[in-house]
Amino acid sequence: MPPLRNTGSAPEAELPEYAGRYELESCLGSGGMGVVHLATSASGMRIAVKVIHADHAQDSEFRARFRQEVAAARRVSGAFTAPVVDADPEAPRPWMATLFIDGPTLSEQVKRNGPLKGDELILLGAGLAEGLRDIHRAGVVHRDLKPSNVLLAADGPKVIDFGISRPTDSDLRTETGKLIGTPPFMAPEQFQRPRDVGPAADVFAMGAVLVHAATGRGPFDSDSPYVVAYQVVHNDPNLTGVPENLLPLIKSCLAKQPEDRPTPDELMAMLHPSSRGATPFVPARRGGDRTGSAAAATHPRAAARPRGRLARPRVRWAAAGVALVLVAAGCFFAVQGASGHGAPGTAYAGPAKGQKFRPWHTTLRGGTTENKAPVCSPDGASLYCTAPGVAAARINQTDGHVDWSVKDTDAAGFTAGDTPPVLSGGLLYVVVPGTKRLAALDPASGEQRWEADISQYPTVRYAGDSVLLMKSDGQSVRALDSVTGSERWTRRLDTFSNLWAGGSGKHARLFAVTGPPATPTEVSSVDPGTGAVLWRKNLTGSLVPVGASDGALFLLSQNLDDVTNAVVRLDATTRAVTRTPLPSFVEQAQATVADDIVYVVGYTGSLLAVDTREGVQRWRLETSVTRASRPAVDGKRVYVSAGDGRLLAVDGVTGALLGQTKPRMDAAARTLVPTLPPPVVAPGKVVATAPDGSVFAVDSGDPARW
């Protein structure tokens, strides 16, 4: 056969002519592992051929995952999956051919035509239940059932993508800190006990998929995958909008404990065609021998559409800035001394002059058992943090001494979400815990100087010497003087969903952006001093802002499945647009910008550097961790925190892993944190936080010794 073309990391390198003996025709879609092409067999049968990305083909871990996917797909080939026609996992570019399914994914169907209704939902549920029964009978656990992995064919739904499935009798186990799946559709045990995930996890995912099909959103919804993970483990699902006749069934699927969920056989009995229009029967006690049948689900709106792959749910993961989580409850500020170097209130002289920096760590918690990592921001030699039970604290970056802390006496604690205290106009800004007020503190003492009611403005940005408040309806912005708290201006803008500030001093800029699913994306440049709209520009596609500099706005482009496929740079002066396609797409992306290089990290640990001026991806690293934080950049180093408390250092030029710290997990059972803050870089050191409540600093000079 002709060789597969692979001339580099450019997008055209992802278009081989052949896979085995199959000539590849049009591209049907692309995901995190590979590109899916349409092809025709010798007998004229249409097939979908997935070819692994060129950069992944050199990675032994990805090859192993692909071998596993091929084996699992062959094992479960049946009426409710896409049958495997041929495969070669050992080829230079590994590939697998399955029967082409002529229909959209569930995520595409809902996005284009709205939620499913009535019998459509019953038939979808019946088909999924029967599909899971066959998958589990084959001894396989899918582990990533989600709307983009469900194809709506004319003869019923098909479950696809077995890339992270596991045989139920396999000894292969997930490494420490490695969670695999899509947060809104993962069962609690996938976060808490990933080594022990069984068939019941797929039933939980099916319940979440039915909620998405019925409402257009998942049962656990947030802009942050970490908040979603926390909600999955600890909170009740949001079932608003789910048809009443399906509520008992879906609630049983979403039970927190695996043993409390029904089996696929029981679900088939509940969703028997005779129950259409009636409430599905949910047995009080489970019985393993009940069986039922499901009618073929002919979807009236199914249409020919590329086969989707590795898509994200509707929730937006890109780091869209600072969103403040507020609840109405009583509290008060109490400023106190706190130190690991002596009793509270003891005078602290500071480190000895000329003393060499030594790694340190301190635990920042205010007597609460809530398990959340502290969130910090730097300023000079100080670090300002918020944590469970601590509304704000100042830590000396040299040795970790806590200079002062403001106690959060609200029982809920840590209501500021993932927002660190921010310095602007010489004052320190925090959300008053348990209230809907923004407080300005003296950074030297922690004493409050003024506060403002932000109950109608839940999103806060800082540009120059202005504090900018975005109204919840996405139409109005209010600007306060960050020194005095007096109002500067209030303006009503066209509807927008993101407010992004960048630059500093006279170069400070403010952008109002219409976000997904709106297309095209409109960007408005707003003067932060007056609120005047300076210019507007429409950009092609569905874009999410992730950073701004003195001269540009940076955005991530998302395809129909909400997977990041390109990085976009908008020049704030010339309004020129540079679009850099990604050779391999990224799921649930977050990003940080430094010197026109956009560092993108995916939920599964893919870390890449994109040069937006040259329009090329410079490198990509598979870090082998999931739940990676947004990157932090310092010169030629890139740092990310992992979900198990590790800090990783990566060479910013080559993409090589330089070192990592040990995990820092809480000894308690509740180790899942809803936020994963990025590290803080400072001269000669890196400061990070961890799920065990610690704030720690390590020498940035030699990460290999961490």
Side-chain angles (χ1 to χ4, degrees), residues 54-129:
D55 50 351
H56 292 343
Q58 311 304 317
D59 188 297
S60 58
E61 179 184 350
F62 270 84
R63 275 190 174 269
R65 284 181 59 185
F66 188 67
R67 291 189 198 99
Q68 179 177 284
E69 176 177 3
V70 172
R74 280 175 165 157
R75 197 168 178 177
V76 303
S77 286
F80 296 94
T81 59
V84 176
V85 176
D86 200 355
D88 187 356
E90 308 304 328
R93 291 282 296 278
W95 57 271
M96 176 175 65
T98 62
L99 185 67
F100 173 68
I101 305 297
D102 193 3
T105 66
L106 177 60
S107 61
E108 293 166 348
Q109 179 70 17
V110 171
K111 183 175 291 186
R112 290 173 171 174
N113 301 298
L116 276 59
K117 306 293 183 182
D119 280 0
E120 293 179 330
L121 282 171
I122 298 292
L123 294 172
L124 172 67
L128 290 178

Side-chain angles (χ1 to χ4, degrees), residues 423-434:
L423 275 164
S424 180
L427 295 176
L428 186 69
Y429 287 87
V430 297
V431 175
V432 181

Side-chain angles (χ1 to χ4, degrees), residues 177 373 626-627 640-648 660-666 671 673 676 688-692 694 696:
T626 50
R627 303 191 65 233
V640 294
S641 292
D644 60 359
R646 282 179 289 166
L647 172 66
L648 284 72
Q660 57 184 309
T661 64
K662 65 180 181 180
R664 294 174 181 265
M665 295 294 285
D666 197 325
T671 56
V673 294
L676 195 57
T689 63
D692 65 355
S694 63
F696 65 96

Side-chain angles (χ1 to χ4, degrees), residues 163-421:
I164 64 172
S165 61
R166 291 282 188 271
T168 53
D169 57 354
S170 173
D171 289 331
L172 184 59
R173 291 293 182 256
T174 305
E175 64 187 273
T176 300
K178 182 76 170 176
L179 303 176
I180 300 179
T182 305
F185 304 95
M186 290 169 63
E189 61 268 24
Q190 287 181 272
F191 297 105
Q192 298 173 305
R193 305 179 300 278
R195 294 172 181 267
D196 301 321
V197 171
D202 289 343
V203 173
F204 186 96
M206 175 181 159
V209 167
L210 289 177
V211 174
H212 179 89
T215 66
R217 53 161 178 76
F220 305 97
D221 212 359
S222 172
D223 288 336
S224 164
Y226 315 121
V227 172
V228 168
Y230 188 84
Q231 292 174 342
V232 168
V233 174
H234 300 296
N235 295 359
D236 292 333
N238 178 5
L239 302 181
T240 304
V242 173
E244 188 173 347
N245 65 323
L246 281 177
L247 278 175
L249 179 143
I250 290 178
K251 285 181 179 179
S252 67
C253 289
L254 297 177
K256 299 297 185 189
Q257 298 302 318
E259 60 270 18
D260 293 334
R261 299 172 204 147
T263 65
D265 280 326
E266 291 173 330
L267 289 170
M268 290 167 59
M270 301 174 202
L271 291 163
H272 190 278
S274 63
S275 67
R276 294 181 206 172
T279 300
F281 170 68
V282 181
R285 298 184 62 182
R286 284 179 43 190
D289 59 350
R290 261 195 299 260
T291 60
S293 61
T298 302
H299 202 288
R301 294 197 295 257
R305 170 62 178 89
R307 176 185 175 185
R309 169 72 172 83
L310 280 178
R312 292 187 306 166
R314 193 167 177 237
V315 177
R316 308 291 187 247
W317 308 121
V322 185
L324 304 181
V325 182
L326 306 171
V327 296
C331 76
F332 65 91
F333 272 167
V335 181
Q336 61 180 18
S339 171
H341 303 270
T346 301
Y348 175 62
K353 187 175 182 180
Q355 181 179 351
K356 183 181 178 181
F357 170 76
R358 300 178 66 180
W360 56 260
H361 80 274
T362 185
T363 299
L364 196 63
R365 266 190 183 150
T368 176
T369 59
E370 191 163 9
N371 188 43
K372 297 183 181 180
V375 187
C376 304
S377 61
D379 182 69
S382 297
L383 194 70
Y384 296 96
C385 305
T386 185
V390 179
R394 188 177 79 178
I395 299 176
N396 189 304
Q397 286 197 44
T398 303
D399 59 4
H401 177 269
V402 180
D403 296 328
W404 56 257
S405 67
V406 177
K407 186 177 181 182
D408 173 8
T409 58
D410 174 32
F414 198 40
T415 55
D418 59 357
T419 305

